[in-house]
Amino acid sequence: MKAKLLCIAICSAVAQAYAESDAEVVLSTDYEHRTNINRSATDPVDDDVWVYGGSASYQTQKQHGDVQLNYTVAHEKYLDETNSDRDRINGEAALNLYTSGRRLGVYAETRTAETSLDTLRAELPQNSNRVSSYQAGVQGRLRPSRRDAVDIRAGKIWVESENDLLNSESETAVVVWGHSLSARTSGGIQLVYLSTSPDAEEIADYGTQKAGIFWQRQLKTGSALLQVGAAKTDAVKPSGDQVGYVGEARLELESVTPRRSLQVTGGRELAGSGMGQGGNPNGGLRQTGNEFRLDIRDYFTADYRYQIAPQRLSWGLYGDYSHEKNQLADDLNEATRVGTDFTWQFKFGGELTLAADQISRKRGLEASAEQQDELNYSLQYRQEVARRVSVNCRYEVRQFESGIESTILGCGLDVAAF
């Protein structure tokens, strides 16, 4: 709630202080027919859902400051009342002021996501859990020299979930010193502090400190980033021992040519439910939402894109892997996703996308591990029918190993207000 109020204040300041800007507002509405909305193998229930909302983006930069705003809002209304109405809010806003090589500003961020209480069970709505996070704080930058920059960010994170199991508050501070080694190479040091207060009575408040160094290089056709460091936390394991020190690392590689692009990211981190949305700041697959977590997490993501016919036909192949060991409970999760998609751009302005992926989740040790596989297919078409007006239709199928299948068939309208 505090973050929402700060967002409103920032938006008001934007409207008053800046007359010239780059702004866009899009109004959207969709009508969907969803089958087996409760994902039941014995008693499926269908419903029609009306989704309406929009998005707003605003950015401007002046001699003494800049403003950035990007938010998406959607409201879901279930016409047969199989579920209560729901809102989704995602976005961020920032206001910065410049003076003599310094920058000082405020920021706010809101994220909403759907998770499962048990990722190995498909049934809804009893198995669903909506998680929201709000962040707000101050940020700044100093330029001690032409080659050096110091970025500072401090604020608070609120995490709220429908079942209250993931609720927490965290204070956070980040300091990054970056140094330009050459025109194409830079490096630096990053320090992070977190103080987390879970609502769960069985989990005591704990602090986390992180320190690391990074090296970044602009390559001929892309870039490379390497981070190495360590995290220390006084969170307590079920055995009564502290989690202590955890080594962290991150590698990012990107290569872009006129017809091909490849992005690869991998590493290890200490990530928790109180560290932002889902506790997975570096992406990857979201795990179970029925407990407050502090994970030692190994992750890997890859995304390959190829222009078969430039500006007409493209193909993509992507994959994710996540291995999470919860330090606050005797819990181990592993997930793998592999998918592909094709996109056709037609001369008359239409765009057709076909996509498919398989997700495999496993929980527990090898001897007693449980597993659930899931297949997803989607077909989406978008067509501009008038200036600033476009129509989109989609069909989605989700199939679970337990024999449950659900579908979504819907069409909608997007109108760019300005």
Side-chain angles (χ1 to χ4, degrees), residues 265-281:
T265 303
R268 164 173 284 201
E269 65 180 352
L270 181 69
S273 300
M275 297 181 183
Q277 179 58 55
N280 293 342

Side-chain angles (χ1 to χ4, degrees), residues 303-306 308 314-318 339-343 354 356:
D303 188 291
Y304 176 75
R305 301 285 154 181
Y306 177 66
I308 300 175
S314 63
W315 169 68
L317 180 65
Y318 55 89
T340 184
D341 58 61
F342 287 88
T343 300
L354 298 173

Side-chain angles (χ1 to χ4, degrees), residues 50 73 96 101 110 127 144 165 181 183 216 311-312 325 327:
W50 182 29
V73 180
N96 298 298
T110 304
N127 191 29
L165 297 177
L181 301 172
Q216 188 169 16
Q311 309 301 321
R312 286 289 179 265
K325 179 65 173 70
Q327 302 301 294

Side-chain angles (χ1 to χ4, degrees), residues 252-289:
E252 291 183 13
L253 297 173
E254 182 180 26
S255 176
V256 180
T257 64
R259 298 187 64 172
R260 296 179 177 86
S261 68
L262 174 64
Q263 293 180 325
V264 178
T265 303
R268 164 173 284 201
E269 65 180 352
L270 181 69
S273 300
M275 297 181 183
Q277 179 58 55
N280 293 342
N282 288 320
L285 296 171
R286 192 180 310 280
Q287 294 295 344
T288 182

